[in-house]
Amino acid sequence: MSGLLHIGILGAARIAPAALVGPARSVPTVQVTAVAARDRARAEQFAAKHRIGTVHAGYAELLADPRIDAVYNPLPNGLHAEWTLAALAAGKHVLCEKPLTANADEARAVADAAAKTGLVVMEAFHYRYHPLIARALEVIPQLGEARHVETSMCFPLPRFGDIRYDLGLAGGAMMDAGCYAVHALRTLGRAEPVVTAARATLRKPGVDRLMVAEHRFPSGATGRTTASLWSRHVLGLTARYTGSEGSLKIFNYLVPSVFHRFTITRGGRTTHERIPGELTYLHQLRAFAAAVRDGGPNLTPPADSVANMEVIDAVYRAAGLDPRGAATRP
């Protein structure tokens, strides 16, 4: 395509200004053109605050807008698949917030639709687009055979009425925080793990506020993921890779441009590196625009999302809970 990439936002979500609207001001090939929300007044307020030119009465009306090339989907987890599929059917590329869908079956449906249409679907694991992860993947082969990989994503969310605690909207710690931990585990482990055990602490029936899972990689290496929205694990943003020849520990792999520690231990010597880079969301938006415009690399495509959701579904089953999905909706 030529000219500007016009993006519409499905929903006036709190994450949209940081994840899209702000970064778009620094990407000259991208313009946020329209927004739609179930509450039109809220959409109008959002548009006025962020200088977005068009407000649509609903999601379907936005998808029907011929000026829009792509959509950003920050809707609740349980609505991601429905409206990503609708966007693809309308001929729009999609940047969808994580997790891409509520479960692996939905992810497969999105992957199939993306393949048939040839449109770009990118799951918004923004951390993956920062140079820190590229540097980690350079270092890891120097650390010998994998022995153990451990990742965490924990933050306090005491607003218990938040949609992230809503089972009908595919809520739970494993979904909202754990999808990051699982993705980082798979990325640094460079293979697909099998879930061997999981333990959940529930906020209410079916909804986990803490999930700890044990994994095993095909090589025999072990893994662990910890995800929390409310527990004694107040803040956890770490990733550790232990190999036969050394280890790598990363603090704050999620938003490394704010602050991070990147620590390599090898041969009895420990070194620290600073990995330069801009905001993760800015790296991500540039990558999305490049993927749409000229087929640039998509590091988080639907096939990767399917693999991630397969692990998440397996964690829920291992913890004695059902995977999220349409059957859980009210």
Side-chain angles (χ1 to χ4, degrees):
M1 64 173 293
S2 59
L4 284 173
L5 174 64
H6 295 275
I7 301 180
I9 304 175
L10 298 177
R14 289 190 298 267
I15 187 64
L20 177 67
V21 178
R25 297 190 183 110
S26 299
V27 182
T29 59
V30 170
Q31 184 177 83
V32 179
T33 302
V35 63
R38 288 176 295 178
D39 181 344
R40 186 183 179 95
R42 186 180 176 202
E44 289 173 346
Q45 292 171 0
F46 186 94
K49 180 176 181 179
H50 299 291
R51 302 192 300 278
I52 298 171
T54 301
V55 175
H56 285 294
Y59 307 148
E61 182 177 297
L62 184 147
L63 294 181
D65 186 339
R67 298 170 299 165
I68 293 173
D69 306 302
V71 298
Y72 171 58
N73 182 352
L75 296 171
N77 298 339
L79 301 179
H80 284 178
E82 175 184 351
W83 287 102
T84 293
L85 288 169
L88 292 173
K92 315 299 185 186
H93 304 278
V94 183
L95 174 62
C96 183
E97 270 305 327
K98 34 52 62 183
L100 182 71
T101 59
N103 55 55
D105 286 343
E106 289 186 353
R108 292 186 195 98
V110 170
D112 288 346
K116 289 174 182 175
T117 61
L119 295 166
V120 172
V121 175
M122 178 179 286
E123 186 173 11
F125 280 119
H126 55 100
Y127 86 96
R128 182 65 182 87
Y129 293 88
H130 192 278
L132 180 142
I133 299 301
R135 177 57 182 150
L137 293 175
E138 290 177 349
V139 169
I140 282 172
Q142 304 168 20
L143 303 178
E145 295 181 5
R147 295 288 187 261
H148 184 72
V149 186
E150 189 161 340
T151 58
S152 68
M153 177 61 174
C154 305
F155 58 89
L157 184 66
R159 300 193 306 271
F160 298 120
D162 190 279
I163 60 172
R164 285 170 281 190
Y165 290 109
D166 188 330
L167 182 61
L169 292 173
M174 193 65 213
M175 292 293 288
D176 201 72
C179 65
Y180 279 114
V182 167
H183 197 269
L185 182 86
R186 296 175 47 249
T187 299
L188 300 182
R190 299 172 299 163
E192 300 304 334
V194 172
V195 178
T196 57
R199 173 180 57 83
T201 301
L202 303 185
R203 169 60 193 172
K204 55 186 178 182
V207 180
D208 49 311
R209 60 180 177 85
L210 167 68
M211 182 75 79
V212 180
E214 307 294 337
H215 308 261
R216 184 171 297 277
F217 289 94
S219 66
T222 57
R224 172 178 289 181
T225 52
T226 303
S228 170
L229 297 179
W230 188 249
S231 73
R232 64 181 180 84
H233 303 277
V234 177
L235 184 64
L237 298 169
T238 58
R240 181 192 290 271
Y241 177 97
T242 302
S244 58
E245 305 296 329
S247 66
L248 169 66
K249 183 176 182 180
I250 305 169
F251 173 74
N252 195 12
Y253 65 88
L254 186 69
V255 282
S257 60
V258 176
F259 173 79
H260 67 269
R261 289 183 65 85
F262 190 96
T263 305
I264 305 166
T265 301
R266 185 172 59 240
R269 182 168 176 259
T270 296
T271 58
H272 303 280
E273 295 185 9
R274 285 286 183 198
I275 315 300
E278 298 174 275
L279 291 171
T280 53
Y281 290 117
L282 184 53
H283 286 289
Q284 175 180 261
L285 184 57
R286 287 191 184 124
F288 180 66
V292 170
R293 291 171 62 86
D294 54 29
N298 181 355
L299 301 179
T300 53
D304 181 64
S305 305
V306 171
N308 215 59
M309 291 311 305
E310 286 176 340
V311 176
I312 291 172
D313 287 359
V315 168
Y316 274 118
R317 292 189 183 102
L321 299 172
D322 291 329
R324 315 293 88 165
T328 65
R329 293 185 190 172

